Amino acid sequence: MKLSSFSDYTLRVLMYLAIHRDRLATIPEIAAAYGISENHLMKVVHQLVRGGTLESVRGKGGGIRLALAPEQIRLGAVVRASESGAPIVECLSEDRGSCRIAPACHLTGILVRAFDALYKTLDEYTLADLVRTPQTLETLLSAP
């Protein structure tokens, strides 16, 4: 199983903001720290703000910050939100008739159970669990 880049970037943004709780951060700053696209991060941040996980402060000196304490942000909920809309396999999509073996296939049920187990495990952890060593993460993210 592989999470989308969107989910990966979502978790990275949250981790960055969790280790910089004392100030506002910007999208260009986060993109530079991870060496990833600002355009992709803008989409991620937009979804996180709309979902209430982040707060956005506009204007000069503005930026983004966590809207909740890291202990309140469950990883399962974050990944579910960032992966929403993408079916696990084709036969779970709205166009179910596209698979010839769907009436006799047991793979769908197995994959649904597997993803349920993934989310159940992620639900056991919070953002705080990801940033237990903030000084080390901050050092690594500020390296050139």
Side-chain angles (χ1 to χ4, degrees):
M1 291 193 275
K2 181 179 177 184
L3 292 180
S4 67
S5 296
F6 194 87
S7 291
D8 179 23
Y9 292 173
T10 297
L11 293 169
R12 291 185 198 206
V13 166
L14 293 175
M15 290 173 66
Y16 189 91
L17 295 174
I19 62 173
H20 294 96
R21 300 260 351 246
D22 58 331
R23 64 180 179 80
L24 293 171
T26 65
I27 291 171
E29 169 190 340
I30 298 168
Y34 286 113
I36 56 181
S37 163
E38 286 183 35
N39 288 334
H40 285 91
L41 287 187
M42 287 172 52
K43 295 172 190 171
V44 166
V45 167
H46 178 72
Q47 179 176 318
L48 289 167
V49 169
R50 281 188 29 206
T53 306
L54 297 185
E55 292 178 346
S56 176
V57 177
R58 294 190 178 272
K60 186 174 171 126
I64 53 174
R65 65 180 162 227
L66 295 176
L68 305 166
E71 298 79 14
Q72 295 177 295
I73 300 173
R74 291 257 161 225
L75 300 183
V78 169
V79 173
R80 276 185 195 91
S82 64
E83 293 287 329
S84 67
I88 302 168
V89 287
E90 186 179 332
C91 54
L92 291 176
S93 69
E94 291 183 18
D95 182 20
R96 293 186 176 142
S98 63
C99 179
R100 289 183 174 186
I101 63 169
C105 182
H106 298 283
L107 179 61
T108 304
I110 293 167
L111 290 175
V112 167
R113 284 189 61 211
F115 271 79
D116 286 347
L118 169 69
Y119 288 127
K120 182 179 178 186
T121 300
L122 288 172
D123 285 335
E124 295 174 13
Y125 297 94
T126 67
L127 178 57
D129 294 313
L130 297 181
V131 294
R132 286 189 181 151
T133 57
Q135 297 84 4
T136 304
L137 289 169
E138 190 168 6
T139 300
L140 292 169
L141 288 171
S142 63

